[in-house]
Amino acid sequence: MASFGSGRGRGRGSNRAGRPPSKQTQISSASQPRLQVCRNFVSTGNCHHGERCNFSHVVKLHASIEVSDKNEDAKPTFNRGYGGSSKIKDSHKVSSVAVWEANGMVKLFTGSHDGKWRLWNASPPVGGNVATLTKEFEHFVGGPVDTVHVASHYFFCGFEASPTEAPDAKAGMVHSWNLNAAQDPPMELWMSPMAKYAGSGRIRSLWTTSDGRVWSGGSDGTIRQWAYDPCCGAGNMAGFAFVRNMSGHLGAVTGLALIKGVLWSGGVDGTVRLWNVESGDEAHLIQAVKKDSVGNGSLPIGHSGPVTGLLSFEVPNDQSTFVFSSSLDETVKVWNATNGECVASEKHGQGVTAIALTSDLKGNPLLLCGLFYGDIMVRGTVSNPPLCLLLKISHNFIGVGHEMGPVNDIQPGPDHTFYAVADDGKLTVWQIAGDFGL
C-alpha cells in the first residue's frame, strides 16, 4: 500500500511551551512586540554593530522572488503604507506553498492564479549555507491554483478547470502526482465516473493522512472525503475512491485539521465545525458571532469574520492538544481540542490570513501569523501569557518582505526556515536565527 504523509494543504482563493492557560485570555491589540527587528541583519544576515546593536538578530531573509506570471489585467489597489498610496499588484496572486524534503534536498511547490504550479529547488548550493531558489519545472493545469500540498512522495494540487463533460462550466479539481514516478500521469479525484471533478466549487483546503485518506474543502461549502485504492483508477490502476460528502458550512471551507480522530473545519461563514470521521456526521459546532458582540466575561467566543486557517498543536512533554484558528476578524483563537473551549484569543490589528508552526533554536514552538497587509507576526503558543507577541516583520519598517498582502500561506521548513507567499506574486524564504527569550 502506498504511504502518504499526514497534514494540511491550503491556500486562499478569490476572495514556548509551558502549562496551558486555564482560562480564556485576551491580550490588548495595542501590545508591542517583545523584540524589534534589526533592518541590517534581516536583509543581509550581518550587522556591523554586532552584539552592541539595539535591535534583535533573530530572523533573516534568504530570498524573495517573483513566482507567478504578470497579470495584464492588474488594477491599482490601495496600500495602507505611510502615504496611503495606490499600488498595482501586477503579478498573479500566489495562493499556496508546499515543502518537499527528499534525498537531502529541499524543494518547494507553489501554486498561483496564473493557472500554474511550479517546482523550486531551495537547497543551499554546494559549500554554501544560504538558500537560493531555482525553478526546476512548471505545469499549467488550466485554471487558478488554490492549494498545493505534499504528503510523503505524493504531490496534490487543487485548482479550477472545465471538466470534459461540461466544457463551458467550471469545477474544482484535485490531481495527485507520485513524485517517485513523475513521468506517470496524475491520479484524479472524482466524485463519480460521470462527474470527473472533485467538487462543484473551487478547492480551498486539503488534508491527508498516512493511510491514504484525503479530505477536501470546497468553495461550495462541502467537505469531501476520498480513500486511496490500489485498483480503483482507470485500467484498474491506483487511484482515490470517493467516500462521502460532509455538508454544513455556508460558503467556502478554508481550513481542515484532523486531531485525534476528529476532523475540524473552518469556513468563510465564521463557524468552526467538528466531524466524526468514521460516520461523516457533524459532532460539534462553534458558532460565529456578530461583529462587536461579546460572550461571557465580555469576550467574544466564536469568530466574527471568515475563518482562514486551522492548525493543531500538541504541547511538548504534555498530553494537551489545542487547535489554533485564524480569521479576517483580526484574531487568532486557541481551542482546547478535548472539549472545544476557547482558552485564548488575540487581535492583530488586521486580518489574519495564514498560520503555521515553527520553533526557535532551543526548540520552543513559535506561531507564525501571515496578515492581510503583507506583514508577518511571530508569537508564542500556549505559554504564559498565551500568544505573546514576539516579533513583527513589516516591509514598511524594514524594507524587505511582502510589500503587499494578503499573505496567503506560510509553511515551515528544515533548519528553522519558513516560506511565505502573497498576493504580490512573491515567495519569501526566512530563517529563525536567534533567541526569542522564551
Side-chain angles (χ1 to χ4, degrees):
M1 177 181 177
S3 176
F4 293 82
S6 61
R8 62 169 183 161
R10 56 93 61 196
R12 291 177 55 79
S14 51
N15 310 331
R16 169 168 166 143
R19 296 297 304 170
S22 59
K23 59 183 179 181
Q24 186 180 1
T25 307
Q26 179 102 23
I27 306 170
S28 169
S29 61
S31 62
Q32 293 299 308
R34 180 182 296 182
L35 305 174
Q36 298 294 327
V37 178
C38 173
R39 185 186 182 112
N40 291 328
F41 184 85
V42 71
S43 58
T44 69
N46 294 288
C47 174
H48 65 276
H49 294 291
E51 295 182 356
R52 295 180 291 107
C53 183
N54 293 324
F55 299 92
S56 296
H57 300 170
V58 294
V59 63
K60 57 185 177 182
L61 176 69
H62 281 297
S64 176
I65 66 168
E66 296 274 354
V67 294
S68 68
D69 291 340
K70 296 296 182 181
N71 183 1
E72 297 179 356
D73 299 323
K75 298 179 180 180
T77 184
F78 179 75
N79 180 57
R80 61 80 201 254
Y82 296 118
S85 60
S86 292
K87 293 182 179 294
I88 296 178
K89 296 179 181 178
D90 58 356
S91 296
H92 286 277
K93 69 188 294 181
V94 188
S95 60
S96 53
V97 59
V99 182
W100 177 34
E101 297 181 61
N103 301 319
M105 304 290 286
V106 180
K107 300 189 179 186
L108 307 175
F109 287 94
T110 58
S112 56
H113 278 198
D114 59 7
K116 298 177 181 179
W117 60 259
R118 294 170 171 88
L119 176 63
W120 306 85
N121 189 330
S123 299
V126 176
N129 58 7
V130 177
T132 57
L133 291 170
T134 304
K135 185 171 68 174
E136 293 192 340
F137 188 78
E138 68 178 27
H139 179 65
F140 181 67
V141 293
V145 177
D146 286 317
T147 182
V148 294
H149 173 58
V150 172
S152 184
H153 58 276
Y154 288 87
F155 167 62
F156 293 82
C157 179
F159 61 96
E160 182 184 56
S162 298
T164 54
E165 60 267 43
D168 291 330
K170 299 293 184 182
M173 307 286 187
V174 178
H175 288 185
S176 176
W177 285 262
N178 183 343
L179 298 174
N180 288 341
Q183 73 281 358
D184 292 348
M187 294 178 284
E188 301 180 15
L189 279 65
W190 295 345
M191 294 175 61
S192 76
M194 289 184 288
K196 296 179 179 181
Y197 44 86
S200 58
R202 292 163 73 158
I203 306 301
R204 297 289 301 275
S205 52
L206 287 170
W207 187 273
T208 62
T209 62
S210 59
D211 61 358
R213 290 177 294 172
V214 178
W215 289 268
S216 68
S219 63
D220 57 2
T222 301
I223 301 167
R224 294 180 173 88
Q225 180 182 350
W226 285 266
Y228 178 80
D229 190 321
C231 58
C232 78
N236 290 324
M237 300 295 287
F240 290 87
F242 178 73
V243 177
R244 62 169 63 93
N245 290 323
M246 299 156 68
S247 300
H249 282 285
L250 300 170
V253 182
T254 52
L256 294 169
L258 183 65
I259 300 99
K260 297 182 177 180
V262 176
L263 183 70
W264 290 57
S265 64
V268 297
D269 58 4
T271 67
V272 175
R273 299 171 186 266
L274 282 65
W275 307 83
N276 184 316
V277 296
E278 299 304 324
S279 66
D281 295 333
E282 188 170 351
H284 185 67
L285 167 65
I286 301 174
Q287 298 184 19
V289 298
K290 288 186 176 181
K291 187 177 181 180
D292 301 324
S293 65
V294 296
N296 295 332
S298 299
L299 290 171
I301 301 302
H303 284 291
S304 61
V307 175
T308 57
L310 295 172
L311 192 62
S312 63
F313 173 66
E314 188 170 323
V315 179
N317 304 315
D318 197 301
Q319 297 300 313
S320 302
T321 303
F322 297 88
V323 177
F324 297 100
S325 62
S326 59
S327 173
L328 292 184
D329 66 7
E330 305 183 353
T331 68
V332 167
K333 296 181 181 290
V334 184
W335 309 90
N336 186 317
T338 301
N339 57 21
E341 176 191 6
C342 183
V343 297
S345 180
E346 175 60 82
K347 293 189 70 70
H348 292 68
Q350 53 184 290
V352 186
T353 51
I355 50 176
L357 286 166
T358 187
S359 64
D360 66 10
L361 302 186
K362 295 180 179 179
N364 299 307
L366 302 172
L367 179 68
L368 305 169
C369 304
L371 304 182
F372 188 83
Y373 292 114
D375 302 335
I376 298 174
M377 287 187 179
V378 182
R379 293 187 175 274
T381 53
V382 296
S383 55
N384 286 312
L387 297 177
C388 59
L389 179 55
L390 302 172
L391 189 76
K392 182 178 180 180
I393 302 170
S394 174
H395 187 281
N396 278 346
F397 295 100
I398 62 176
V400 296
H402 293 283
E403 188 174 5
M404 304 177 71
V407 174
N408 294 316
D409 197 11
I410 299 182
Q411 292 292 332
D415 300 321
H416 310 284
T417 55
F418 62 93
Y419 310 92
V421 294
D423 265 22
D424 60 4
K426 292 181 179 180
L427 164 66
T428 54
V429 182
W430 308 84
Q431 187 175 32
I432 303 297
D435 183 10
F436 283 84
L438 295 175

